[in-house]
Amino acid sequence: MSEIKKVLFVGAGNVATHLAEVLDAASLQIVGVFSRKKESAEILAQAYKAIFGDFDEIQDLQADLIILSVPDHAIQDVLSKIPTNQALLVHTSGSLDMQILQNKQQRIGVFYPLQTFSKSKKVDFLQIPLMVEARETEDLEALEKIAQKISEKVFRITSAQRKKIHIAAVFSSNFTNHLFHIAEELLTKENIPFEIIQPLIAETAEKIKNLRPFLAQTGPAAREDHETIEKHLKDLEDSPEYHEIYKLLSHHIIQSRKQ
Amino acid sequence: MSEIKKVLFVGAGNVATHLAEVLDAASLQIVGVFSRKKESAEILAQAYKAIFGDFDEIQDLQADLIILSVPDHAIQDVLSKIPTNQALLVHTSGSLDMQILQNKQQRIGVFYPLQTFSKSKKVDFLQIPLMVEARETEDLEALEKIAQKISEKVFRITSAQRKKIHIAAVFSSNFTNHLFHIAEELLTKENIPFEIIQPLIAETAEKIKNLRPFLAQTGPAAREDHETIEKHLKDLEDSPEYHEIYKLLSHHIIQSRKQ
């Protein structure tokens, strides 16, 4: 395909909002925003003087790229509403295969920024890893080209790899956040402010920028300090779930260091 | 007690090294460093023109404060070597009760900096939470005074609270680091560079500075996306331990949002 200039969004959530902002700043034209909820589409569209309206109008806008950014469970429903057109159609999902788009009679791909977005919080998009995939090589090159305008970290990633990255993200982001939640609960019960462990959390994340996590591991399990582990487990007896998580993760840390 | 001016270290590891540096910079005098390994004591002592040698000499140095900074399992052995003296004796352990020092016929306390230290890496000590405890109120006040010279985050914390803080630190630092390790393993197997998820890890730690972890939670479990969870579990079938951890943590995230 020739260069991508006109971009159209289907979906107006966090990912679409952030992508529209950086693509607009990179001199691409946001030509339309379409959503099942017209009001959300309207807000985002108006920021870029783009069209919003009925899905039938999509064809008229002659977009080069359609970015489909809706929750995974909604994608089939939304796909059925988009009239077949001449644009490259990409989704932004970490866990869906590119092939989910294959029933549309048009060129397809994936444009996946790996970050945890919230609408209100500014992020430095240049530092966000952006993964691109396309069925046709020339589409992949065109996607890569616009990706490089908005991020310094662009990777060509297959659907199979992206699935693993998504699982790795669940472990290192969703699950770690849940451990922060457990820590906060344990502290709050004793009237200890959560901020007391925030510097430790920051340093734990900072450390692994230069050190493999395996080498950065500290704590009772890593040094096989069974006495401390047993004391902690006894202390957690009144929270069976925390007890179970503590036991499993400690056990697994010990095992991983014996391999 | 009157003001603390002369400090003596027993133990010459990471914590002692960092504490000596900041206490010296705060104009306290490091008068001695004693360790079961004389060579480590010598290195640290020479940096501050302090005495190192046999434990018997401790009494002669007239220290106001003795900071006992050795691994938990070594503390009883080291305690038996320290002659009773007139100093305030504190340990730096997250998990040991202050009372472990009670058999010494002298004033006791705790001086616990909550951070994951490595000797080579510089840390901004001012931002490290420092927890103080002492049997006598005037000792607590004296400890607090020198703590405030080296940290902006000084807390009076009881032994019972400190124990909970240590458990919370295991969850939010040791266990999260292990999840980073799992993520790295999953990626490496597919020839994907670990750096691809580092910005996500950084943002996950950053987010909870302003948002309670419970409110910051994202991911398949938080939105009860059972389809994605099942796909991930199927994909992890060849790694039984990862499968087990994924299942337990996802289950617990779902449960925690129903309470």
Side-chain angles (χ1 to χ4, degrees), chain A residues 57-74:
Chain A
E57 300 169 47
I58 286 180
Q59 271 166 305
D60 307 335
L61 292 172
Q62 305 271 329
D64 302 311
L65 175 68
I66 296 181
I67 299 179
L68 185 58
S69 181
V70 297
D72 288 2
H73 64 82

Side-chain angles (χ1 to χ4, degrees), chain A residues 115-126:
Chain A
Q115 189 50 282
T116 163
F117 291 105
S118 38
K119 261 190 192 169
S120 55
K121 194 167 179 301
K122 269 267 177 195
V123 287
D124 178 8
F125 212 98
L126 274 178

Side-chain angles (χ1 to χ4, degrees), chain A residues 116 164 178 207 235 252, chain B residues 116 164 177-178 207 235 252:
Chain A
T116 163
K164 293 289 184 188
H178 186 61
K207 240 180 170 180
D235 214 69
H252 194 243
Chain B
T116 164
K164 294 288 183 188
N177 183 74
H178 186 62
K207 239 180 170 180
D235 214 72
H252 194 243

Side-chain angles (χ1 to χ4, degrees), chain A residues 8-11 34 55-56 58-59 66-68 70 75-85 89 101 104 106:
Chain A
L8 185 151
F9 283 92
V10 176
F34 294 79
F55 280 77
D56 313 341
I58 286 180
Q59 271 166 305
I66 296 181
I67 299 179
L68 185 58
V70 297
I75 207 160
Q76 291 294 4
D77 177 44
V78 171
L79 271 178
S80 70
K81 296 195 197 314
I82 303 176
T84 299
N85 58 77
L89 176 69
L101 307 175
K104 305 303 281 186
Q106 71 190 90

Side-chain angles (χ1 to χ4, degrees), chain B residues 59-221:
Chain B
Q59 271 167 305
D60 306 336
L61 293 173
Q62 304 270 330
D64 303 311
L65 175 68
I66 296 181
I67 298 179
L68 185 58
S69 180
V70 299
D72 288 2
H73 64 83
I75 208 160
Q76 290 295 4
D77 177 43
V78 170
L79 271 178
S80 70
K81 294 194 196 319
I82 302 175
T84 298
N85 58 77
Q86 85 302 330
L88 168 61
L89 177 69
V90 299
H91 73 62
T92 60
S93 163
S95 54
L96 295 180
D97 202 285
M98 175 174 69
Q99 300 304 335
I100 198 164
L101 306 175
Q102 71 184 347
N103 288 339
K104 303 306 281 188
Q105 298 300 312
Q106 69 191 88
R107 290 166 300 127
I108 57 174
V110 178
F111 197 76
Y112 170 52
L114 178 63
Q115 190 48 281
T116 164
F117 291 105
S118 40
K119 260 190 192 171
S120 54
K121 194 166 178 303
K122 270 267 176 195
V123 287
D124 177 9
F125 212 98
L126 274 179
Q127 297 307 314
I128 293 181
L130 201 46
M131 293 161 223
V132 292
E133 180 180 9
R135 193 162 48 192
E136 306 296 334
T137 308
E138 55 175 343
D139 290 338
L140 182 60
E141 283 163 0
L143 269 184
E144 197 172 45
K145 208 167 153 190
I146 68 158
Q148 283 163 348
K149 287 184 185 170
I150 60 175
S151 168
E152 291 173 357
K153 297 177 177 178
V154 178
F155 299 85
R156 292 184 180 195
I157 292 289
T158 66
S159 283
Q161 285 177 316
R162 193 158 29 78
K163 198 170 162 187
K164 294 288 183 188
I165 293 169
H166 191 231
I167 296 177
V170 169
F171 275 95
S172 55
S173 176
N174 304 153
F175 290 169
T176 60
N177 183 74
H178 186 62
L179 296 178
F180 300 157
H181 164 66
I182 292 175
E184 191 208 20
E185 288 236 312
L186 289 168
L187 295 176
T188 304
K189 248 193 254 173
E190 307 292 322
N191 296 313
I192 304 162
F194 180 50
E195 60 160 309
I196 215 167
I197 60 163
Q198 280 178 350
L200 178 68
I201 288 174
E203 177 65 12
T204 305
E206 181 65 29
K207 239 180 170 180
I208 52 123
K209 286 182 185 167
N210 303 305
L211 201 60
R212 287 189 55 210
F214 184 81
L215 299 173
Q217 187 70 52
T218 58

